[in-house]
């Protein structure tokens, strides 16, 4: 089957970059990205590509190249679905905030709505691709809806989970470690798998394109994220132990990372992992395990989250304790708000929870992040519902200049590992701060010795 038109529902952090790269690599395929959110679509269509809603190194250039040629962003969902041979579902699947599975299970409301919409408007056979991370066996729900509400056209469901990491999305898409495609194992299923394989095969070596059954594919995505998050929680757990002993977590990470069975990546101790996937996917895994009565399996993975929550809380508590057990009315400068560097995404960012805890103790926070907007920061805090919108506005000040953020502060806290933080004039920052001037490096990116020579009191993670 030769695919000539692709539609992607959801123009977010996954749908946008993924479709931009497919369009770049396959100029003969028309790729249309749709979203219910009109303002988001307008931003993707902004004549100045620097204003697209997702910040990713290299992305704006690709959008500039493909947009209007074979890459389109629109809110005309029905038309795009109707015309497409292949439809990617890339909508968000937040954790349920109500009812059964509240706080753990994924809310599949949007996925179901997409399925119903696809069924309603389709008048020709289609391949539907799950791009969103979904609980295992969601494909059967999709299939059921499509079969029972459709216009007697045929649908094949594939699972093609996204492994890109934000901040490196373009590279991850252009040179992925692997592409995973799950589908039915009958003849028609295999044909559908082949159609998607052929798209990726234009730039991904064949041996890196893995095909499996649908359930293995769905579960592999949750498992990959659970393993990655577990590494971070493991190193963070040891960072706490290091702080009580003479050990240094950087040295420990180097020592174990050189063991080829362990490997050097994902061993950076931090203020805690964030992002849209890790917590949600583990909770999902925990929920599935528990629903099969596998309580030990569920508890095992849940501990990864518990450890992460502790790490964030511990960082905030350390600031409070070091500032003589009170931060009431004290200005604390936050450098970084995004959940990692090179992205403007703040979902589940550790910064939000550290800020919330300090605000609970009546601190005043001044935040600087190179890519996150003030509106986003306030929205993140308001979403927690810990205090009123007005109180958040009053206690948190968002500034455009890092030196202004640090002016007259009692402490500077590094929440995101943006490269530019390393090159600041730290002497100038020191001179403008109240003394003793504290730095809490939640990412271990600054040169501790150099800062101490200037006069700072430095707390890092795990040393
Ligand atoms: C992704 C994945 O798809 C999700 O499974 C993963 O677990 C988290 O990351 P992401 O692209 O980051 O989602 O989400 P987001 O940036 O929120 O984008 C989703 C988009 O879908 C939003 O722009 C939203 O407006 C849109 N949407 C949602 C629709 O167009 N239709 C809907 O019915 C629901
Ligand atoms: C993750 C997966 O890596 C990706 O494959 C999947 O598709 C989506 O989820 P992402 O959430 O974008 O990607 O970022 P990732 O680089 O995995 O980082 C997640 C969090 O862990 C960040 O907050 C990061 O700062 C933190 N982290 C990562 C650490 O604290 N230490 C590390 O060593 C690595």
């Amino acid at each position: 089957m030769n695919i000539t038109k692709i539609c992607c529902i959801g123009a977010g952090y996954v749908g946008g970059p993924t479709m931009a790269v497919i369009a770049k690599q396959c100029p003969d395929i028309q790729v249309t990205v749709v979203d219910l959110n009109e303002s988001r679509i307008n931003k993707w269509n902004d004549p100045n590509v620097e204003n697209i809603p997702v910040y990713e190194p290299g992305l704006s250039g690709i959008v500039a190249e493909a947009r209007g040629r074979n890459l389109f962003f629109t809110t005309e969902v029905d038309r795009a679905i109707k015309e497409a041979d292949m439809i990617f579902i890339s909508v968000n699947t937040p954790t349920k905030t109500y009812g059964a599975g509240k706080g753990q299970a994924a809310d599949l409301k949007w996925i179901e709505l997409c399925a119903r919409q696809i069924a309603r408007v389709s008048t020709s056979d289609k391949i539907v691709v799950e791009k969103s991370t979904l609980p295992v066996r969601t494909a059967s729900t999709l299939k059921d809806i499509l079969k029972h509400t459709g216009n007697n056209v045929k649908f094949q469901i594939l699972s093609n989970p996204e492994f890109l990491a934000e901040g490196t999305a373009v590279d991850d898409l252009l040179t992925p470690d692997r592409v995973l495609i799950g589908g039915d194992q009958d003849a028609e299923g295999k044909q559908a798998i082949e159609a998607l394989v052929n798209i990726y095969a234009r730039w991904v070596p064949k041996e890196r394109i893995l095909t499996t059954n649908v359930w293995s594919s769905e579960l592999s995505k949750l498992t990959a994220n659970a393993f990655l998050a577990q590494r971070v929680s493991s190193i963070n757990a040891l960072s706490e132990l290091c702080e009580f002993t003479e050990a240094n977590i950087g040295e420990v990470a180097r020592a174990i990372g050189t063991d080829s069975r362990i490997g050097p990546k994902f061993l950076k101790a931090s203020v805690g992992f964030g992002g849209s996937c890790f917590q949600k996917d583990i909770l999902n895994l925990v929920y599935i395990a528990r629903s099969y009565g596998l309580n030990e399996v569920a508890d095992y993975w849940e501990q990864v989250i518990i450890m992460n929550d502790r790490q964030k809380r511990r960082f905030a508590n350390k600031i409070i304790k070091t500032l003589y057990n009170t931060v009431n009315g004290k200005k604390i400068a936050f450098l970084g708000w995004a959940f990692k560097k090179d992205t403007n995404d703040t979902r589940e960012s550790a910064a939000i929870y550290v800020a919330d805890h300090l605000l609970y103790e009546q601190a005043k926070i001044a935040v600087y992040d190179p890519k996150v907007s003030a509106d986003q920061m306030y929205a993140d805090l308001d979403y927690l519902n810990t205090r009123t919108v007005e109180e958040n506005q009053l206690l948190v000040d968002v500034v455009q200049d890092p030196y202004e953020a640090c002016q007259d502060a009692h402490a500077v806290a590094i929440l995101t590992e943006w490269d530019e933080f390393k090159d600041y004039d730290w002497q100038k920052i020191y001179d403008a701060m109240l003394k003793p001037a504290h730095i809490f490096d939640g990412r271990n990116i600054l040169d501790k010795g150099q800062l101490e020579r200037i006069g700072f009191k430095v707390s890092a993670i795990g040393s």
Side-chain angles (χ1 to χ4, degrees):
M1 187 176 182
N2 194 23
I3 304 295
T4 59
K5 285 187 177 153
I6 289 176
C7 162
C8 172
I9 309 179
Y13 283 90
V14 169
T18 309
M19 291 304 123
V21 167
I22 291 182
K24 172 186 162 60
Q25 301 295 54
C26 312
D28 53 314
I29 298 181
Q30 182 184 312
V31 180
T32 306
V33 190
V34 300
D35 202 297
L36 293 176
N37 182 337
E38 193 173 345
S39 100
R40 205 163 204 183
I41 289 295
N42 289 342
K43 287 185 191 151
W44 280 109
N45 283 324
D46 195 299
N48 178 355
V49 285
E50 298 308 323
N51 295 334
I52 55 175
V54 170
Y55 173 72
E56 277 293 340
L59 180 61
S60 55
I62 293 179
V63 170
E65 174 191 335
R67 196 176 61 188
R69 178 189 71 191
N70 65 325
L71 176 65
F72 303 93
F73 295 91
T74 169
T75 50
E76 286 183 67
V77 185
D78 284 2
R79 188 170 59 85
I81 291 175
K82 204 175 156 105
E83 288 178 357
D85 320 304
M86 185 177 267
I87 300 162
F88 286 80
I89 301 184
S90 205
V91 300
N92 41 337
T93 48
T95 305
K96 276 184 84 175
T97 53
Y98 56 89
K102 177 178 168 182
Q104 288 195 333
D107 193 340
L108 297 180
K109 188 171 76 176
W110 304 118
I111 297 288
E112 179 169 342
L113 284 175
C114 286
R116 290 188 183 277
Q117 190 167 17
I118 294 170
R120 181 168 50 77
V121 302
S122 295
T123 50
S124 59
D125 295 354
K126 301 200 187 295
I127 298 173
V128 176
V129 186
E130 296 177 345
K131 202 44 147 164
S132 304
T133 310
L134 298 168
V136 183
R137 302 204 76 86
T138 304
S140 67
T141 308
L142 278 179
K143 196 178 275 179
D144 230 42
I145 294 168
L146 291 170
K147 192 167 154 200
H148 291 290
T149 58
N151 309 313
N152 283 323
V153 299
K154 282 196 185 139
F155 294 102
Q156 279 296 325
I157 319 284
L158 299 178
S159 158
N160 173 219
E162 191 50 76
F163 293 107
L164 67 80
E166 292 178 37
T168 51
V170 170
D171 278 347
D172 293 346
L173 285 162
L174 287 172
T175 51
D177 283 347
R178 48 57 178 99
V179 168
L180 180 59
I181 301 173
D184 279 351
Q185 298 298 304
D186 58 13
E188 284 173 327
K190 285 186 172 157
Q191 238 181 0
I193 292 176
E194 201 51 33
L196 187 52
V197 167
N198 287 339
I199 292 175
Y200 285 111
R202 299 186 188 206
W203 75 96
V204 180
K206 269 258 165 103
E207 65 277 9
R208 291 199 180 187
I209 305 178
L210 313 182
T211 61
T212 63
N213 74 35
V214 180
W215 321 126
S216 301
S217 171
E218 289 180 338
L219 186 58
S220 298
K221 170 68 192 237
L222 298 186
T223 308
N225 278 342
F227 269 59
L228 291 169
Q230 185 195 38
R231 276 175 79 94
V232 178
S233 273
S234 298
I235 204 75
N236 282 345
L238 272 312
S239 76
E240 187 168 3
L241 191 55
C242 286
E243 287 168 29
F244 283 91
T245 61
E246 299 280 293
N248 175 304
I249 199 64
E251 292 178 353
V252 173
R254 184 153 51 92
I256 65 165
T258 45
D259 184 324
S260 61
R261 294 166 302 177
I262 297 175
K265 293 181 185 167
F266 255 73
L267 289 177
K268 279 195 213 90
S270 66
V271 54
F273 62 72
S276 67
C277 288
F278 280 5
Q279 169 150 323
K280 177 167 67 68
D281 290 357
I282 293 176
L283 289 174
N284 228 307
L285 197 61
V286 168
Y287 181 72
I288 297 168
R290 241 187 259 296
S291 70
Y292 285 106
L294 309 177
N295 287 325
E296 289 81 359
V297 177
D299 291 347
Y300 178 77
W301 288 107
E302 195 166 19
Q303 198 60 35
V304 174
I305 306 270
I306 292 172
M307 189 57 234
N308 195 48
D309 287 340
R310 167 151 184 85
Q311 191 75 348
K312 293 181 273 189
R313 175 57 66 98
R314 207 164 73 75
F315 186 75
N317 280 337
K318 193 179 213 176
I319 296 178
I320 296 163
K321 204 167 155 214
T322 311
L323 298 184
Y324 316 107
N325 284 313
T326 175
V327 287
N328 186 322
K330 290 182 179 168
K331 178 177 177 182
I332 297 172
F334 270 37
L335 295 183
W337 191 264
F339 82 97
K340 63 190 281 197
K341 72 171 179 178
D342 291 338
T343 177
N344 61 346
D345 193 353
T346 64
R347 286 176 287 180
E348 293 300 330
S349 179
I352 303 168
Y353 298 94
V354 174
D356 190 52
H357 193 56
L358 293 173
L359 293 174
Y360 178 72
E361 293 290 333
Q362 314 259 312
K364 297 197 124 185
I365 298 179
V367 194
Y368 166 78
D369 185 287
K371 290 289 173 193
V372 178
S373 70
D375 287 350
Q376 185 59 52
M377 294 181 201
Y378 289 120
D380 291 336
L381 287 169
D382 294 343
Y383 183 77
L384 297 179
N385 240 327
T386 319
R387 64 193 68 72
T388 63
V389 171
E390 292 72 28
E391 282 172 304
N392 282 331
Q393 294 275 348
L394 197 69
L395 294 170
V396 180
D397 195 16
V398 180
V399 296
Q400 302 306 317
D401 173 46
Y403 297 94
E404 188 187 335
C406 301
Q407 175 86 37
D408 296 324
H410 286 259
V412 173
I414 308 285
L415 277 306
T416 312
E417 72 281 24
W418 287 102
D419 289 331
E420 64 173 65
F421 298 166
K422 296 181 214 165
D423 301 326
Y424 287 172
D425 182 345
W426 285 100
Q427 180 69 55
K428 179 173 158 189
I429 291 177
Y430 179 80
D431 294 342
M433 283 175 67
L434 300 184
K435 307 296 176 322
H438 294 272
I439 291 191
F440 297 88
D441 185 353
R443 298 288 184 166
N444 289 349
I445 54 165
L446 300 179
D447 182 338
K448 198 174 176 193
Q450 187 211 335
L451 293 173
E452 283 173 346
R453 281 192 292 281
I454 292 175
F456 282 107
K457 290 186 176 292
V458 186
S459 292
I461 305 271
S463 62

